[in-house]
Amino acid sequence: MFNKKSIYLDNAATTSVDKEVVNAMIPYFSEKFGNASSQHLIGQEAKRALEESRDIIAKSIGAKREEIIFTGSGTESNNFVLKGLFFANKNNNKNHIITTKIEHDCILNTCKWLETQGAKVTFLNVDSEGFVNPEDVRKAITPETLIVSVIHGNNEIGTIQDLKEIGKICREKGVYFHTDACQSYTKTYIDVDKQNLDFVTLNAHKIHGPKGVGVLFIRKDIKLIPLLHGGGHESGLRSSTENIPGIVGFAKAVKIAKDSNIKYMERLRDKLIESILKIQNTQLNGPKGEKRLCNNINVCFNNIEGEAIGGFLDSYGISSSTGSACSSHSLQPSHVLKAIGRTHVQINSSLRLSISKLNTKEEIDYVLEILNKIVDKLRKMSPIK
Amino acid sequence: MTEFNAYTKEVLKRFTNPKNFGEIKNPDGVGQVGNPVCGDVMKIYLKVDKKPEKIKNIKFQTFGCVSAIASSDALCELAKGKTIEEAKKITNQAIIDKLEGLPSIKIHCSVLGASGLKKAIEDYEFKIGKISKKSIKDDDK
């Protein structure tokens, strides 16, 4: 009955823009199109929308308005914090960065590039469910350590890290603490003071907002060297005429995010996980329960390839993913699944389903029915038993 | 390379509804190529008519992605009914053509198909005593 309908279960890659968000954005394209730097009325109208949006996002994480910088993406925010801080502290004998083996590529590749610029980087191990041990962070800190960067909710396996504990250690040791919260924002609690955060990366398109808008929270008085020099927008930290429609849309997406959506997604998630694990020879990747992102399901279906399951689901109009959407360019096995100790075969056999508030119980039932059939068929086709 | 590097209709048709998957009991030749660590494993089973020496039946079992399964199915169709000498000439390009193209990052799936068939034929020729040694390594099972 859903054959012609599409069921979108790849919300960790991106989400559909909420209609309320689109409606909030529309006036800022042709009517209120001003440049927020202009002194005239049209410009000031844009400026007001910009600052009101900044305020909404700041409040949502317990930050001050002036601590929120708009960027073009989560990737940009992550590049900005690491490069900007590294270059600002180049002459302070602070060249050591601590991160983990389960970060998004934009953190890993920024770190690898910074190594070519003189940085020393420690990539921390995680346990079999993807958790960083805060004590490992403590042990890795040296007098040269500049910053610790840990992804909040993992994009592949949904593990939510204990930011508060890691943040406490960083504060004690006088080391900056950053988290990439693109996947966890509006899906779990973030408070920059209680979690001792100095920098937080957020973006809009994972939370039913538009693509092309990100945020970096920068705790007051911390100096970063900008990536983009120009007209001095965003307190001189990110020159570029502000993307007002995108920023307004981002704020609207934050405003309409509800805690009840989290509960709803958790119920769908747990139904999917429990039912899938009833299929023979399957394993959950990542933790169960409240320490897992409410929208993430990642399962290893032994002896068949995740990509083949995904291809089959696609033929039924169901969108899924193997690992992160970015990895499909490289064909490299997921570094996250590798870090939690999965073998190459298990990694190739894994599939990620990521739900949103828009998925229904009926859709989930249908997906489960199809998934059972597909796994059975592919297992019959496989020479590995 | 296919347009936007996407799957062709032919790939999707064969992937979702392969005609030639399964096992042949008491096969005259078997070839397994690839290994699960790299990603794909393909096993090709042959049944050969003696006079004239033709591939009477061919089936595959594949642990792999969309392209690997579609390539296996296309290979079987290309080889079925061919003489052994004709089947030896089946290249990975013939598989790609049969599939009306493969994304550039998936070309290796067609290569796996072609070598799976070669290995199965060699196994057959070894069993009937036509060759005394296998040239393709057997260690990648």
Side-chain angles (χ1 to χ4, degrees):
Chain A
M1 86 185 127
F2 289 103
N3 270 2
K4 292 290 159 211
K5 190 183 162 182
S6 79
I7 299 178
Y8 186 74
L9 298 181
D10 198 13
N11 289 279
T14 194
T15 56
S16 70
V17 182
D18 197 292
K19 289 210 171 56
E20 280 190 64
V21 170
V22 175
N23 289 337
M25 291 171 71
I26 284 173
Y28 292 91
F29 286 103
S30 301
E31 259 174 70
K32 307 178 181 182
F33 57 84
N35 184 324
S37 301
S38 302
Q39 293 304 314
H40 47 63
L41 281 177
I42 302 253
Q44 290 314 298
E45 195 174 38
K47 177 79 176 166
R48 187 177 320 117
L50 171 65
E51 295 311 321
E52 282 172 5
S53 301
R54 199 188 305 278
D55 204 38
I56 291 168
I57 292 167
K59 280 191 177 130
S60 74
I61 58 169
K64 298 182 193 76
R65 187 155 56 110
E66 59 274 21
E67 294 175 317
I68 298 296
I69 298 299
F70 286 107
T71 67
S73 63
T75 291
E76 185 190 327
S77 297
N78 283 340
N79 270 263
F80 180 26
V81 59
L82 294 182
K83 293 177 186 171
L85 193 68
F86 178 77
F87 288 114
N89 289 278
K90 227 176 136 190
N91 302 318
N92 301 345
N93 278 331
K94 294 275 184 189
N95 65 347
H96 180 223
I97 297 169
I98 298 172
T99 187
T100 78
K101 289 186 177 166
I102 60 163
E103 299 300 308
H104 187 273
D105 277 341
C106 62
I107 289 283
L108 294 177
N109 288 331
T110 298
C111 285
K112 282 175 195 159
W113 182 78
L114 282 171
E115 283 179 327
T116 70
Q117 305 300 305
K120 292 196 178 90
V121 186
T122 301
F123 298 92
L124 294 175
N125 287 318
V126 294
D127 70 13
S128 61
E129 289 184 330
F131 291 105
V132 175
N133 183 345
E135 284 310 307
D136 289 349
V137 176
R138 186 193 298 279
K139 282 180 214 150
I141 293 174
T142 71
E144 284 77 45
T145 305
L146 177 62
I147 185 171
V148 172
S149 177
V150 175
I151 189 168
H152 188 201
N154 185 267
N155 53 313
E156 292 190 39
I157 58 172
T159 313
I160 300 173
Q161 304 295 339
D162 186 352
L163 293 185
K164 194 177 169 187
E165 202 49 40
I166 300 170
K168 213 166 83 185
I169 293 167
C170 293
R171 196 50 61 81
E172 260 172 46
K173 297 267 186 182
V175 171
Y176 293 121
F177 183 35
H178 166 250
T179 192
D180 170 4
C182 288
Q183 293 287 340
S184 60
Y185 188 36
T186 72
K187 294 186 188 74
T188 186
Y189 175 81
I190 301 172
D191 184 303
V192 295
D193 285 337
K194 289 185 179 137
Q195 292 168 320
N196 302 303
L197 287 156
D198 298 308
F199 306 97
V200 180
T201 292
L202 306 171
N203 75 356
H205 79 99
K206 310 282 192 195
I207 63 163
H208 302 283
K211 292 165 185 64
V213 201
V215 151
L216 182 65
F217 155 77
I218 306 171
R219 188 170 287 282
K220 205 169 178 292
D221 299 331
I222 303 178
K223 194 171 173 269
L224 295 185
I225 303 292
L227 294 178
L228 303 179
H229 298 88
H233 309 78
E234 297 296 288
S235 312
L237 288 171
R238 206 270 184 178
S239 289
S240 287
T241 298
E242 295 89 349
N243 169 9
I244 303 295
I247 289 167
V248 166
F250 191 177
K252 186 71 181 177
V254 173
K255 226 171 158 179
I256 63 174
K258 289 194 281 275
D259 283 353
S260 58
N261 292 334
I262 301 175
K263 293 277 162 234
Y264 176 72
M265 284 187 270
E266 277 175 349
R267 281 199 298 278
L268 293 187
R269 175 199 69 187
D270 290 343
K271 186 183 165 62
L272 263 169
I273 289 177
E274 280 160 29
S275 308
I276 291 173
L277 292 181
K278 281 182 192 151
I279 301 175
Q280 245 188 352
N281 209 357
T282 51
Q283 289 155 297
L284 183 66
N285 294 317
K288 272 188 179 172
E290 60 181 20
K291 287 189 173 176
R292 186 183 193 100
L293 286 174
C294 59
N295 68 336
N296 175 291
I297 295 105
N298 190 320
V299 177
C300 169
F301 296 85
N302 289 295
N303 304 338
I304 52 178
E305 265 201 17
E307 210 188 310
I309 307 172
F312 241 122
L313 286 172
D314 200 27
S315 74
Y316 285 96
I318 302 165
S319 314
S320 65
S321 153
T322 46
S324 75
C326 317
S327 67
S328 54
H329 294 300
S330 62
L331 292 183
Q332 288 301 312
S334 151
H335 63 272
V336 175
L337 294 176
K338 211 170 143 190
I340 63 167
R342 294 291 189 234
T343 65
H344 278 247
V345 188
Q346 287 172 323
I347 294 170
N348 287 334
S349 302
S350 293
L351 182 80
R352 179 185 74 184
L353 304 172
S354 47
I355 55 178
S356 82
K357 61 177 182 180
L358 300 174
N359 291 118
T360 64
K361 197 183 157 292
E362 288 70 32
E363 286 180 339
I364 299 304
D365 287 337
Y366 177 69
V367 169
L368 285 166
E369 182 195 320
I370 299 299
L371 200 52
N372 269 286
K373 272 192 218 166
I374 291 171
V375 171
D376 192 49
K377 187 164 180 178
L378 286 171
R379 282 201 171 142
K380 278 184 187 143
M381 249 183 242
S382 174
I384 304 172
K385 304 288 176 200
Chain B
M1 209 202 320
T2 55
E3 198 185 10
F4 307 127
N5 242 343
Y7 292 126
T8 62
K9 277 187 184 154
E10 188 62 22
V11 167
L12 291 173
K13 197 183 92 190
R14 287 188 181 275
F15 164 67
T16 51
N17 199 12
K19 304 285 184 220
N20 304 297
F21 82 89
E23 212 175 320
I24 296 176
K25 292 264 176 303
N26 307 315
D28 297 319
V30 184
Q32 181 166 317
V33 284
N35 72 62
V37 175
C38 310
D40 301 317
V41 181
M42 201 180 280
K43 199 169 182 180
I44 305 293
Y45 298 87
L46 294 180
K47 202 81 189 164
V48 183
D49 267 344
K50 302 296 171 291
K51 273 181 188 170
E53 196 184 40
K54 270 186 180 174
I55 296 177
K56 185 180 163 192
N57 199 5
I58 172 167
K59 282 191 186 291
F60 76 89
Q61 285 179 317
T62 294
F63 165 78
C65 61
V66 173
S67 308
I69 290 171
S71 293
S72 314
D73 196 55
L75 164 80
C76 291
E77 196 172 305
L78 285 168
K80 206 167 182 173
K82 294 260 181 3
T83 65
I84 290 292
E85 291 313 310
E86 283 167 342
K88 280 180 183 172
K89 290 178 192 143
I90 295 172
T91 60
N92 80 300
Q93 190 56 48
I95 295 172
I96 295 171
D97 293 345
K98 187 92 187 155
L99 294 172
E100 293 164 10
L102 272 178
S104 55
I105 55 168
K106 296 293 187 180
I107 298 298
H108 68 275
C109 297
S110 64
V111 174
L112 201 65
S115 54
L117 177 63
K118 280 198 176 60
K119 204 163 166 183
I121 291 174
E122 209 181 58
D123 183 54
Y124 161 72
E125 292 191 328
F126 180 76
K127 277 178 181 159
I128 61 167
K130 196 169 165 188
I131 54 172
S132 57
K133 224 166 62 188
K134 290 189 188 180
S135 66
I136 311 167
K137 280 188 296 177
D138 232 357
D139 59 2
D140 51 0
K141 275 184 184 157

